[in-house]
């Protein structure tokens, strides 16, 4: 039965490569879901990083919903109700579910990016929350499970993310695949979601998540857990207007020149202060990005850092992503500088594509690619 009651000892999503399936891929389903009574095989998710929604892409009409369950902040791994975007869900089959979500017109962090559009980043956050709700309530992940985010891909139609439609609920069809069990619990799975509002396609996303027990996590991260209470220096942020943000406290980029006290962290043969390079700015007191203590940087912070870096590197403001892909290779540590390097892959009057790479201690932490289309008749936030 779904578990809708309060959960305790929840931990945030993690980023890292330990335990990921060897045949993992972002855009296709490779492993047969390991469930006991699947009515039908889930469809392969359409490639989520395509520039346009395929005209032939449709979602099979699910069976009539007979019972719904409320989403609590505990299930969604948030500390306040206002940060929870999925509101209810129902089971369609062993691997299919339907959620209802609400994306508010105003939010302290996931607020509008201009005077017309909601923030496409809310799609990724909703996918993350809904995935953990299902992991706990439908697939038996215990309350103290640590979650590992391996990849995240989002395609959004900015023209369907209008502030004028914010009161309209968002319907989300979910397919769970690549399900790997650990006993009666969950080892890992992929969730693929399609978002619609008033019947209109809004977004599609997919992400894979692994589950780690507290004992295994302590073996893996014991040293970092012991240092979790060590204060993390808060670097000065870059100007909010450079990344399309209005509040300085929401900035997750710092100028690269703050590495001058750590010359060993600068790559050999590269000049100082290269254009398009920043440091990750970690504010462990941010109520949305760090709602509870953590021993590393959460994956959604890295996702937001990639978006801010893409906006700053391209000069496009607002940077309204319509495709966002990210692969996480290892944990981003709190107490070591993390460099964000950008490369403009394509820039024309209609759209711009930026690749962002996060590096720490000589290793790649994550890579992300974001494409933003031009929007007409909007003001950049100031």
């Amino acid at each position: 039965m779904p578990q809708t009651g309060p959960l305790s000892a929840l931990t945030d999503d993690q980023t890292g490569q330990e335990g990921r399936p060897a045949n993992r891929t972002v855009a296709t389903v490779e492993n047969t879901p390991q469930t006991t009574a699947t009515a039908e095989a889930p469809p392969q998710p359409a490639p989520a990083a395509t520039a346009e929604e395929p005209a032939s892409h449709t979602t099979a009409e699910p069976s009539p919903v007979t019972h719904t369950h409320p989403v609590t902040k505990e299930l969604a791994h948030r500390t306040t109700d206002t940060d929870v975007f999925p509101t209810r869900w129902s089971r369609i089959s062993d691997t299919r579910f339907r959620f209802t979500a609400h994306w508010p017109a105003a939010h302290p962090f996931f607020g509008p990016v201009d005077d017309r559009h909601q923030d496409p980043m809310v799609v990724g956050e909703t996918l993350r929350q809904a995935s953990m709700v299902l992991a706990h309530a439908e697939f038996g992940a215990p309350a103290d499970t640590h979650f590992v985010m391996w990849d995240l891909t989002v395609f959004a139609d900015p023209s369907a993310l209008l502030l004028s439609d914010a009161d309209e609920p968002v319907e989300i069809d979910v397919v769970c695949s690549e399900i790997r069990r650990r006993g009666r619990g969950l080892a890992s799975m992929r969730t693929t979601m399609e978002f619609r509002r008033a019947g209109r396609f809004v977004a599609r996303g997919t992400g894979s998540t692994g589950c780690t027990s507290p004992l295994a996590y302590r073996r893996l991260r014991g040293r970092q857990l012991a240092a979790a209470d060590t204060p993390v220096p808060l670097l000065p942020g870059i100007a909010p207007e450079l990344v399309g943000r209005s509040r300085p406290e929401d900035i997750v980029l710092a100028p690269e020149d703050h590495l001058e006290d750590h010359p060993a962290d600068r790559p050999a043969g590269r000049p100082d202060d290269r254009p398009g390079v920043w440091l990750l700015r970690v504010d462990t007191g941010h109520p949305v990005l760090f709602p509870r203590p953590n021993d590393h940087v959460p994956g959604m912070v890295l996702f937001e850092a990639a978006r801010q870096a893409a906006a700053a590197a391209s000069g496009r403001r607002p940077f309204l992503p319509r495709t966002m892909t990210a692969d996480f290779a290892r944990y981003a540590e709190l107490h070591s500088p993390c460099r964000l390097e950008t490369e403009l892959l394509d820039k024309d009057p209609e759209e711009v594509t930026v690749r962002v790479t996060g590096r720490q201690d000589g290793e790649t932490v994550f890579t992300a690619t974001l494409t933003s289309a031009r929007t007409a008749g909007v003001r950049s936030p100031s």
Side-chain angles (χ1 to χ4, degrees):
M1 294 293 292
Q3 303 168 7
T4 58
L7 295 175
S8 59
L10 288 170
T11 56
D12 276 329
D13 60 299
Q14 323 293 325
T15 55
Q17 63 181 1
E18 290 78 2
R20 75 169 68 192
N23 59 347
R24 179 190 59 81
T25 182
V26 171
T28 59
V29 175
E30 295 180 332
N31 300 330
T32 303
Q34 301 174 16
T35 54
T36 57
T38 304
E40 57 180 332
Q44 290 189 346
T50 55
E52 298 180 359
E53 181 192 10
S56 61
H57 181 78
T58 58
T59 301
E61 185 66 24
S63 303
V65 174
T66 58
H67 188 62
T68 61
H69 312 280
V71 174
T72 65
K73 63 180 185 291
E74 292 84 7
L75 283 171
H77 285 217
R78 305 306 302 184
T79 55
T80 62
D81 291 327
T82 55
D83 291 343
V84 178
F85 301 128
T87 58
R88 304 187 69 83
W89 91 94
S90 57
R91 173 194 285 262
I92 306 301
S93 73
D94 284 354
T95 57
R96 292 175 178 268
F97 304 88
R98 171 166 287 182
F99 279 79
T100 300
H102 176 232
W103 294 338
H107 185 270
F109 186 78
F110 293 100
V113 294
D114 53 36
D115 58 359
R116 286 180 54 196
H117 297 93
Q118 293 188 279
D119 188 353
M121 299 297 284
V122 75
V123 177
E125 175 63 12
T126 304
L127 187 150
R128 185 189 75 88
Q129 293 182 18
S131 297
M132 289 189 292
V133 169
L134 293 178
H136 285 305
E138 296 285 357
F139 290 94
D144 53 3
T145 297
H146 293 257
F147 289 93
V148 182
M149 182 185 296
W150 291 325
D151 60 71
L152 182 62
T153 298
V154 170
F155 168 84
D157 178 2
S159 68
L161 280 165
L162 299 180
L163 282 171
S164 57
D165 296 332
D167 289 339
E168 189 76 30
V170 178
E171 299 297 326
I172 311 168
D173 287 317
V174 184
V175 175
C176 298
S177 60
E178 301 178 27
I179 301 167
R180 298 172 60 237
R181 294 285 189 178
R182 180 179 293 115
R184 298 180 63 182
L186 182 67
S188 64
M189 73 174 177
R190 174 174 296 282
T191 50
T192 301
M193 306 187 187
E194 185 161 293
F195 302 75
R196 293 183 178 270
R197 187 150 52 184
R200 179 182 179 182
F201 174 86
V202 175
R204 183 172 57 250
T206 184
S208 60
T209 304
C211 304
T212 306
S213 70
L215 180 61
Y217 194 75
R218 283 195 297 271
R219 288 197 300 263
L220 179 68
R221 302 281 298 169
R223 180 173 58 84
Q224 292 84 356
L225 287 168
D229 292 335
T230 303
V232 179
L234 182 60
L235 301 177
I238 66 174
E241 58 267 21
L242 295 179
V243 297
R245 281 284 182 178
S246 59
R247 304 195 314 168
E249 58 265 38
D250 293 333
I251 300 304
V252 294
L253 303 182
E256 190 195 14
D257 58 15
H258 287 284
L259 272 183
E260 62 187 8
D261 295 330
H262 304 275
D265 291 310
R266 290 189 183 275
R270 288 183 176 173
D272 292 351
D273 304 323
R274 289 193 309 142
V277 179
W278 294 270
L279 294 181
L280 182 66
R281 179 177 183 263
V282 178
D283 181 3
T284 57
H286 194 288
V288 177
L289 297 179
F290 283 84
R292 55 176 59 83
N294 214 324
D295 65 288
H296 66 280
V297 181
M300 288 306 295
V301 177
L302 302 180
F303 210 44
E304 172 64 18
R307 191 264 290 271
Q308 292 190 17
S314 67
R316 177 159 294 183
R317 293 180 289 276
F319 192 94
L320 200 63
R322 61 187 178 92
T323 63
M324 301 173 279
T325 68
D327 280 282
F328 303 99
R330 58 190 296 116
Y331 294 97
E333 307 297 350
L334 294 173
H335 300 99
S336 181
C338 182
R339 291 165 52 93
L340 301 174
E341 304 171 0
T342 59
E343 178 184 1
L344 267 65
L345 302 181
D346 184 34
K347 186 174 183 180
D348 61 42
E350 297 305 317
E351 68 178 30
V352 59
T353 299
V354 183
R355 179 163 56 220
V356 182
T357 304
R359 304 186 193 278
Q360 190 175 60
D361 300 324
E363 301 285 347
T364 298
V365 174
F366 76 97
T367 57
T369 304
L370 302 90
T371 297
S372 177
R374 176 180 293 278
T375 58
V378 296
R379 292 195 307 269
S380 298
S382 58

